[in-house]
Amino acid sequence: MFEIEFHNRDREIKEIMNILSTRPDLITFIYGPINSGKTELVNHLIKRLPKDYRVFYINLRGVYVSKAEDFLKVLFDVRGRSVKDCIKFAIDLLPSEVVTPKGRIPIPKQVLKQIFKEKELENVFTYLENFFTEVAKKKNPILILDELQKIGDVKIDSYLIYELFNFFVRLTKELHICHVFVVTSDSLFIEKVYTTAMLHGRCRYLLVDDFDYNTTAEFLKKYEFSKEEIKLVWDYFGGKPVYLVEAVKVKVGGENLKDFAETNLFIRIRQMKDVLYELEEKNRELFNKVLKLFKIFKDRDLFVYEKLGNEIRFCIDNNILFADPVKSVIKPQSKLDLLAIRKIVEDLKKP
């Protein structure tokens, strides 16, 4: 079977390894546009960590979470009869098993039943703190939560996510026993986190963006792309990893790259127009603001923002734009989105 290798993320890997080489002090947010390779980077790194690290990987992608119990089912994996059994299992876990349900946090069945019965979040945090404290005596624990924003609206007494943030601060900044990484493509979530007072001085941000031109060209050259083919792919898709992989498959399969690029652009334009038509029917004022926003990208790739207006939030919610709160920059989610935006603006001028 044809396999495409993991490609140049040396800077990000070095930064994460530098973090892991020191004691846990801050929560690390790994963020970036959709399909920029964040999860792939994390999974690649997990499998190559030294044996003295132990990763617990919780992936909320594709999981429907409407209440705390849903989150706990994803967080925990029932293993063994006692807490001691669970700790031993966690310490002995193989790196290849981390991205499976075995990579969740092990818990005895009776303990989990008691937690569900009492419905006290404090009991969850007590178990987790004791668990990580014991694991830390033998290994360096790392907790990774992918797409954590999925629980953003879940409430117990207060929002669950803020309770978790408080707990993460305790694990890192107070107890220094576990590294915590939160991975997300939701820039509205990151914006909210960035402006949350409780996290000031308690977290760091690592951007995983699309590849630049040189990295893109280097990747495509491995699969014998000509200069003209590299330019074609870059002009349509920029350095978006998911599209680069698809372009390689198209070339290897002997299909036409130009047709592939134009088809994807047509589809993206159609998708955006459908979103806009629906918005026009519901909210004409917001529709006009979105079109005015689109016109900004007529001759630029990004712009610096002061605040996120409703038109920007709408475009972010619909995966058209990406906001980087650390740099205060707004840009399309991909080069393909930028081209689609410009084509829509151009079509608006036609009678």
Side-chain angles (χ1 to χ4, degrees):
M1 184 177 68
F2 178 72
E3 184 175 349
I4 297 175
E5 67 178 55
F6 179 83
H7 188 66
N8 191 347
R9 286 294 185 185
D10 295 342
R11 178 188 63 80
E12 292 88 347
I13 290 174
K14 182 179 179 180
E15 188 166 345
I16 293 173
M17 291 308 300
N18 286 340
I19 291 168
L20 294 177
S21 68
T22 61
R23 74 175 188 173
D25 279 308
L26 301 172
I27 305 166
T28 302
F29 286 89
I30 299 176
Y31 73 107
I34 58 173
N35 296 320
S36 62
K38 297 174 292 298
T39 297
E40 184 180 6
L41 167 67
V42 168
N43 290 343
H44 175 82
L45 190 64
I46 284 172
K47 295 173 183 178
R48 286 156 181 78
L49 284 173
K51 293 181 179 179
D52 54 340
Y53 289 96
R54 181 55 62 235
V55 176
F56 303 93
Y57 178 64
I58 314 301
N59 192 347
L60 293 164
R61 190 185 306 276
V63 177
Y64 178 69
V65 181
S66 63
K67 54 186 182 297
E69 287 85 348
D70 297 334
F71 175 65
L72 296 182
K73 288 176 182 178
V74 180
L75 182 67
F76 290 118
D77 177 34
V78 176
R79 292 276 166 184
R81 299 178 182 178
S82 66
V83 175
K84 186 176 180 180
D85 289 340
C86 291
I87 292 169
K88 184 179 186 307
F89 172 81
I91 291 172
D92 294 339
L93 191 68
L94 297 173
S96 60
E97 298 175 311
V98 168
V99 292
T100 71
K102 290 182 180 181
R104 298 172 185 171
I105 297 166
I107 190 171
K109 187 175 183 179
Q110 290 306 314
V111 175
L112 187 58
K113 276 187 175 181
Q114 192 66 25
I115 286 174
F116 276 118
K117 181 180 178 181
E118 295 176 357
K119 295 185 178 180
E120 290 288 339
L121 192 59
E122 192 59 38
N123 294 339
V124 177
F125 294 147
T126 298
Y127 174 79
L128 290 173
E129 182 176 322
N130 292 335
F131 174 82
F132 284 120
T133 299
E134 290 302 313
V135 172
K137 293 177 181 178
K138 298 285 186 179
K139 301 283 185 176
N140 298 307
I142 304 169
L143 176 61
I144 302 174
L145 298 107
D146 205 339
E147 301 296 348
L148 183 64
Q149 77 279 354
K150 298 274 291 187
I151 67 165
D153 296 326
V154 177
K155 277 189 174 182
I156 304 176
D157 295 322
S158 59
Y159 283 107
L160 171 59
I161 201 156
Y162 291 116
E163 299 293 337
L164 278 171
F165 284 156
N166 275 323
F167 178 64
F168 296 160
V169 170
R170 177 156 178 77
L171 287 181
T172 55
K173 197 170 185 67
E174 294 178 8
L175 298 176
H176 312 293
I177 58 173
C178 180
H179 288 281
V180 177
F181 292 84
V182 176
V183 185
T184 183
S185 298
D186 189 331
S187 48
L188 290 180
F189 172 69
I190 286 293
E191 168 76 18
K192 196 171 184 179
V193 167
Y194 192 72
T195 57
T196 299
M198 65 175 282
L199 290 176
H200 285 175
R202 296 173 175 179
C203 57
R204 65 170 67 87
Y205 300 88
L206 173 59
L207 174 65
V208 177
D209 210 341
D210 298 341
F211 294 139
D212 60 21
Y213 176 80
N214 289 335
T215 305
T216 299
E218 181 186 339
F219 172 74
L220 294 177
K221 283 177 183 176
K222 291 182 178 180
Y223 302 96
E224 300 181 353
F225 277 62
S226 67
K227 289 183 179 180
E228 292 74 19
E229 289 171 331
I230 291 172
K231 184 179 185 305
L232 171 66
V233 172
W234 176 259
D235 286 347
Y236 276 85
F237 305 114
K240 180 69 70 178
V242 66
Y243 286 124
L244 301 185
V245 169
E246 289 305 308
V248 170
K249 291 178 181 178
V250 166
K251 180 175 173 61
V252 171
E255 300 174 51
N256 188 288
L257 276 172
K258 181 71 172 178
D259 289 345
F260 163 73
E262 290 184 343
T263 298
N264 274 275
L265 178 57
F266 175 81
I267 291 171
R268 193 62 186 128
I269 293 169
R270 184 71 262 164
Q271 289 171 339
M272 280 194 200
K273 284 186 175 181
D274 287 344
V275 169
L276 289 173
Y277 293 148
E278 184 176 351
L279 176 62
E280 185 179 20
E281 291 180 2
K282 293 179 179 179
N283 190 331
R284 181 74 189 189
E285 181 182 357
L286 182 57
F287 169 79
N288 288 331
K289 287 183 177 180
V290 170
L291 293 186
K292 185 177 180 180
L293 175 64
F294 276 16
K295 290 177 182 178
I296 295 175
F297 294 102
K298 179 183 176 182
D299 53 7
R300 68 175 77 177
D301 298 344
L302 53 84
F303 67 89
V304 175
Y305 70 94
E306 291 295 329
K307 67 175 183 176
L308 296 180
N310 290 335
E311 68 277 20
I312 295 177
R313 291 180 178 275
F314 174 83
C315 290
I316 292 173
D317 277 337
N318 285 278
N319 289 328
I320 296 170
L321 298 181
F322 169 74
D324 183 346
V326 179
K327 298 178 180 178
S328 296
V329 164
I330 298 290
K331 64 179 182 178
Q333 286 279 0
S334 70
K335 183 68 172 292
L336 197 69
D337 288 287
L338 176 63
L339 295 178
I341 288 171
R342 288 174 174 171
K343 184 66 169 69
I344 289 170
V345 170
E346 181 183 320
D347 288 347
L348 289 174
K349 295 179 179 179
K350 298 177 182 177

